[in-house]
Amino acid sequence: MPDGALNLGTYRAFTARDIDAIPQLRGLSADARLRLRAVAQVLPFRVNAYVLEQLIDWSRVPDDPIYQLTIPQAEMLDDGDVSALVDLLRGGSEAELQARARAIQMAMNPHPAGQIDLNVPIEDGVERRGLQHKYRQTVLFFPAQGQTCHAYCTYCFRWAQFVGLEDLKFAAREAETLVDYLARHPEVTDVLFTGGDPLVMRTSVLRRYVEPLLRADLPNLAHIRFGTKALAYWPARFLTDPDADDLLRLFGEIQAAGKHVAVMAHYSHPRELATPAAAAALQRVREAGAVVRCQAPLIRRVNDDPAVWADLWRAQVRQGAVPYYMFIERDTGPKEYFKVPLARALQIYQGAYRQLSGLCRSVRGPSMSATPGKVVLDGVTELDNRRYFVLRMLQGRNPEWVGRLFFAEYDPDAAWLSDLRPAFGAREFFYSDELAELRRRRAGVRLSVISGAHVGDA
Ligand SMILES: *Cc1c(COP(=O)(O)O)cnc(C)c1O
Ligand code: SF4
């Protein structure tokens, strides 16, 4: 990738290799730094000076939520794995170290919820790598150059993309693939640029993807979304970076072409909205006419507290943004470390929701992006002295599923859809047979293309 393509900040971005160069980490003991280095062999790690200087409260480390959000912790891996990695760092070969790290990664479910198996469209016998089309209206687009982030979140479900598990990388080389796909799919109204973070790309590079979309004059395309953590981790992207003004101009051009621009901002903690730079960046994006909708997962040790979410949604609305989704963390990576059981997630969600006026209640959650669709836990209900989870499909792989209510046995420890048992003695959930059929058909199609060329495969 050409160096000039990315805009990772005029400040230095630190990665796992430069743990000793991060001034703030010099306060850790040599032992803690060694363990950090060991964990970073497995879990990708990248942080920038803005996060280090303005977001992390170093007087509260290691419990500080932004520290937990960006710096991997020894407790995220098994003790045995950490000791083995530490030993290899002390006296093993690089090859042994890499092999051990890779084995641990592969045991961490690097690609949850059928992302490649089921979401990557296949047309004319060709897998359209770089696209995902799961819900009728919305296509996800993974520009090749947007497959990294300004900093990495330690719980990130995209972590496999950052550690070089190449097979798993979704990346489109060509904007043409996207235009062609949209022209052939009039049901699609939304394109969501995602990654990594598409706003790591310089605006000139982003334009190479966006301009063909506007030129193609696609009447079905109504909304262009950018999923980004830049408002939280790198507000300079909208303020002082050399191409910040051009990015805002690009947002204006999209609107001039008659399309809505949505910035899907990932804010995990109210502190990310509280710095002067964060407030100014959000203000500029809004002035450029984009609607900022906010989403984040619920993460133990980062934001597992109703007061934190109430503050977060309140701050978003006060600054003119729209609370959108609260997600349940996926079953991937260091899930055990971050996991919040569904029953607790519901208490946190409702505890926050009840404190706020209707303007903040545009949010939906807690929601699981699971294989059949986005499933929201709406509540717990009691029938004949038994408790049940009330679930609803917000988005479905089959559009007919959207809005369906269904029930599961209450289970205080369940943390994902796959942990739940259908209520009332049912053998399985309503979507189960159809999903199995879909998988079978899809497996057949994939077998027939497996030896074919992968267009746009990066
Ligand atoms: C969440 C999600 C979307 C967007 O869903 P909205 O409810 O429209 O925001 C699209 N595709 C996938 C795969 C998703 O997980
Ligand atoms: S910003 Fe998003 S994609 Fe990037 S590391 Fe964080 S969660 Fe992952």
Side-chain angles (χ1 to χ4, degrees):
M1 173 184 314
D3 257 8
L6 297 189
N7 199 347
L8 286 164
T10 34
Y11 287 176
R12 173 143 180 227
F14 296 97
T15 65
R17 279 187 298 279
D18 359 74
I19 285 168
D20 291 328
I22 298 177
Q24 291 88 346
L25 289 177
R26 290 195 198 120
L28 299 182
S29 67
D31 193 47
R33 277 214 306 275
L34 184 63
R35 270 180 296 141
L36 172 55
R37 203 187 310 282
V39 178
Q41 304 295 321
V42 175
L43 299 169
F45 155 49
R46 172 189 201 99
V47 67
N48 64 44
Y50 172 77
V51 173
L52 290 169
E53 290 166 9
Q54 299 202 38
L55 296 187
I56 296 175
D57 176 354
W58 290 92
S59 70
R60 293 181 56 200
V61 164
D63 298 327
D64 180 71
I66 310 293
Y67 183 79
Q68 290 284 332
L69 186 61
T70 50
I71 310 288
Q73 306 294 315
E75 294 74 20
M76 292 175 185
L77 302 182
D78 289 343
D79 288 349
D81 286 335
V82 177
S83 329
L85 291 165
V86 163
D87 289 347
L88 288 169
L89 272 171
R90 284 204 175 109
S93 70
E94 183 64 24
E96 287 172 297
L97 181 65
Q98 294 303 323
R100 181 75 195 226
R102 189 51 51 102
I104 301 170
Q105 284 165 352
M106 294 314 287
M108 293 175 96
N109 191 20
H111 249 170
Q115 289 185 74
I116 287 185
D117 287 0
L118 294 170
N119 295 358
V120 175
I122 297 174
E123 288 198 318
D124 303 336
V126 178
E127 252 183 339
R128 301 291 174 178
R129 289 288 181 114
L131 303 185
Q132 281 192 43
H133 191 186
K134 180 173 181 180
Y135 306 131
R136 182 183 278 170
Q137 295 85 357
T138 303
V139 166
L140 307 191
F141 180 58
F142 296 74
Q145 286 152 321
Q147 304 310 304
T148 186
C149 290
H150 292 92
Y152 295 161
C153 306
T154 40
Y155 58 77
C156 180
F157 76 92
R158 299 265 160 85
W159 63 281
Q161 286 160 242
F162 307 145
V163 291
L165 300 181
E166 259 90 26
D167 278 4
L168 305 179
K169 207 159 176 170
F170 308 111
R173 201 169 284 145
E174 306 291 350
E176 283 87 305
T177 306
L178 176 62
V179 170
D180 179 54
Y181 191 80
L182 294 173
R184 296 164 64 151
H185 289 268
E187 75 278 16
V188 175
T189 54
D190 291 39
V191 169
L192 170 52
F193 282 80
T194 182
D197 189 330
L199 297 189
V200 299
M201 289 187 284
R202 289 201 182 282
T203 308
S204 55
V205 178
L206 193 58
R207 281 182 177 280
R208 283 184 231 148
Y209 294 106
V210 173
E211 286 170 356
L213 272 183
L214 302 182
R215 273 200 304 273
D217 192 23
L218 299 155
N220 49 315
L221 179 62
H223 315 134
I224 298 186
R225 313 193 204 180
F226 299 96
T228 186
K229 185 85 191 169
L231 277 166
Y233 277 175
W234 191 249
R237 184 70 191 87
F238 311 93
L239 297 171
T240 51
D241 279 354
D243 56 346
D245 292 350
D246 194 37
L247 178 63
L248 300 173
R249 249 192 320 274
L250 179 62
F251 289 169
E253 289 163 30
I254 298 173
Q255 293 162 82
K259 319 289 183 194
H260 171 85
V261 183
V263 172
M264 312 303 292
H266 174 182
Y267 290 111
S268 310
H269 192 278
R271 198 183 296 160
E272 295 169 329
L273 286 136
T275 71
L282 179 46
Q283 172 87 10
R284 282 203 93 193
V285 170
R286 290 183 50 235
E287 282 168 4
V291 175
V292 178
R293 295 178 202 275
C294 307
Q295 52 192 30
L298 170 60
I299 303 292
R300 187 155 68 104
R301 303 167 214 256
V302 173
N303 57 21
D304 56 335
D305 177 351
V308 168
W309 284 90
D311 284 350
L312 182 65
W313 295 332
R314 214 182 274 121
Q316 288 164 356
V317 171
R318 192 185 301 122
Q319 297 187 41
V322 183
Y324 191 63
Y325 273 128
M326 175 207 265
F327 292 118
I328 297 290
E329 171 55 358
R330 294 189 186 224
D331 52 345
T332 179
K335 162 89 175 173
E336 287 305 315
Y337 186 80
F338 290 120
K339 164 162 118 175
V340 179
L342 291 168
R344 175 72 191 136
L346 182 68
Q347 285 174 350
I348 292 169
Y349 178 85
Q350 290 184 339
Y353 192 87
R354 286 172 184 151
Q355 294 179 37
L356 303 168
S357 85
L359 292 183
C360 303
R361 292 184 187 164
S362 50
V363 70
R364 288 159 307 160
S367 171
M368 290 171 272
S369 292
T371 309
K374 277 187 169 64
V375 176
V376 69
L377 174 58
D378 264 342
V380 173
T381 193
E382 212 171 298
L383 284 170
D384 292 334
N385 291 319
R386 271 182 84 112
R387 282 187 293 176
Y388 300 96
F389 284 133
V390 182
L391 303 152
R392 186 162 47 101
M393 197 76 91
L394 284 177
Q395 281 285 15
R397 200 174 276 287
N398 175 348
E400 300 295 315
W401 298 346
V402 175
R404 282 279 296 259
L405 281 178
F406 59 112
F407 297 84
E409 299 285 343
Y410 179 84
D411 174 351
D413 300 320
W416 194 251
L417 188 62
S418 53
D419 299 335
L420 295 177
R421 274 185 309 121
F424 317 127
R427 199 173 41 87
E428 47 198 23
F429 291 121
F430 74 91
Y431 52 79
S432 176
D433 283 346
E434 231 182 300
L435 189 60
E437 173 56 27
L438 217 130
R439 276 186 199 283
R440 266 193 303 277
R441 254 187 289 142
R442 173 76 191 196
V445 178
R446 283 202 88 205
L447 262 183
S448 69
V449 297
I450 216 91
S451 56
H454 288 183
V455 168
D457 199 354

